[in-house]
Amino acid sequence: MSDSTSSGPMLAADGTPLKTSLSRALRRQKIRALALIAPLLLFVVITFIIPIATMLFRSVENQIVSNTMPEATIALEAWDESSGEAPGEDVFQALFFDLFRAAEAKEHTKLGTRLNYEQTGTSSLFRTTGRNLDDVGELWQDPIEDIAPALKDGETWYAMMSGTGGNALFDERRALWTQMVPGEFVGEVGLTLSGEVAEMLPLTAAAYADWAIFEALEEERDVATRDPWEAVYAALGLDLRNPEVVDAVNAYTGPRAQDLQLVAANLDQLPDVMFRDAFAELDEDWLDPEVWQTIKIYSPDYTSGYFLNSIDMEKGVDGAQMRPENQQLYIKLFIRTLWMSLLITGSCIVLGYPVAWLLANLPLRSANVLMILVLLPFWTSLLVRTSAWKVLLQQQGVINEILVWLGFVDDANRLILMNNATGTVIAMTHILLPFMILPLYSVMKTVPPTYLRAAKSLGATNWTAFWRVYFPQSVPGIGAGSILVFILSIGYYITPEIVGGTSGVFISNRIAYHISSSLNWGLAAALGTILLSVVLVLYWCYDRIVGIDNVKLGG
């Protein structure tokens, strides 16, 4: 049939072409269907996809170093990490102002924790240094205030730094704050920076702007009356080390010019301190080139370091390298997890197949009673079931006591079934067995018993009838149960944690540890990503060899 006639296209009741009317109707149906599932789709995206994607992003995200130490990381780019020496004065000078700002915002400890994942001891280094940076700034503050007492007063500083034309520098410093602590530094500061002073005293203006932004927006104080940080005095002392700056100060006629000129006239009273030496005095580890190598290696915004750590490697000066043998852990855990998951899956098949066959071939009344026993573990807490196995498997537990009473085991040689791989396999097989029985049972119920009778009537033995006729039809149930049990077992962590000891834990236990205890979410995300990738690869291999279309849950 055609949608047109000799006189023109076939029309619908409303006069529109029939083809157009049908297209509109189908489009409306699709829109209604989409509207019905939209709330569920949105719920899944918000509560499932976005959190997982965010967590996986943490496996490569590494912006904390560059956000917390922006100027030091830039200065560090020119340092040769293979030199065997700590970087020069310019890096330590940038580190002082970056770390001073971070310490005031309590962000330096987070940075130390991040770097401590790569080099032990870095966390305490940043923490103790952050507490003592005021002492370094006071090396300049005390003599400057002695030379020009007016600079003790915050109103003097405010009058000197206020003006017009310094918005660019002010916006730049605000961006650094926002970069380090997103969403915190929004609003009016109550200061318009002088462009003339900013050009004449660049370090001082930057340090004062940092202080004013933090003081006004975080501490909610009036910057016009508050005394600035010790870092501002240090910045002034550094600016005045430049002869060109001294000449500009002597020619300056703006507010509080006499105070600046007074300091410039007494430079011999200012300390000749090098930041490199000051940091070394705070902690000699700052002169350790390995500390700076770690900082430089992990200064980019994105890193492969978490994934390298997940396979017992690390980023070094010359690129990726294997960790020392006594620190290699994760590859062994991955192999153990895969092997034991396959072993648990196999044991569930061996134990679950006869039970499922019995359920499928018993009269309905008896099968329902036995099915209740299969489902009974689901009504008991996982923690309770695992703890029960701990009672049963220990050397003074029920199983060993029975074996000793029966004479199978000597009292002095009781079996060690706890805190090892054996305990994990036994407990997890019991816990996951119903997930194997149920798919097998649902498939076996669809196999007509007449097939076996027909095979026997043609001369087949019981075994031949089972193996050649019944078993092939139950293979889809084995596939469904195996996938279910394997995926569940590969991600289990409660049972291995309780009964596995040191030789029976899975990689999931380390993931849980890094999420809840060490708070190394980046490494946990990398381990989870690798585990997910391994499962997908195995799923693909299963599909290529067996065919996922052959997996059935009955019907």
Side-chain angles (χ1 to χ4, degrees), residues 538-552:
L538 291 175
Y539 179 85
W540 178 82
C541 293
Y542 182 90
D543 183 39
R544 298 288 294 178
I545 297 172
V546 179
I548 198 63
D549 293 336
N550 294 323
V551 174
K552 298 179 181 177

Side-chain angles (χ1 to χ4, degrees), residues 173-192:
R173 307 313 293 185
R174 187 197 292 265
L176 292 180
W177 276 115
T178 304
Q179 188 175 313
M180 182 168 59
V181 189
E184 291 291 326
F185 298 94
V186 179
E188 292 297 327
V189 176
L191 168 69
T192 304

Side-chain angles (χ1 to χ4, degrees), residues 207-236:
Y208 189 84
D210 287 340
W211 166 80
I213 293 170
F214 183 83
E215 192 76 5
L217 301 181
E218 184 68 19
E219 301 293 338
E220 298 181 352
R221 295 169 179 168
D222 183 7
V223 298
T225 59
R226 304 290 300 183
D227 298 341
W229 289 336
E230 294 84 352
V232 178
Y233 293 90
L236 177 60

Side-chain angles (χ1 to χ4, degrees), residues 319-333:
Q321 60 190 28
M322 292 299 298
R323 286 187 173 274
E325 189 172 350
N326 61 348
Q327 297 180 15
Q328 296 179 13
L329 169 67
Y330 296 112
I331 291 179
K332 180 180 179 181
L333 280 178

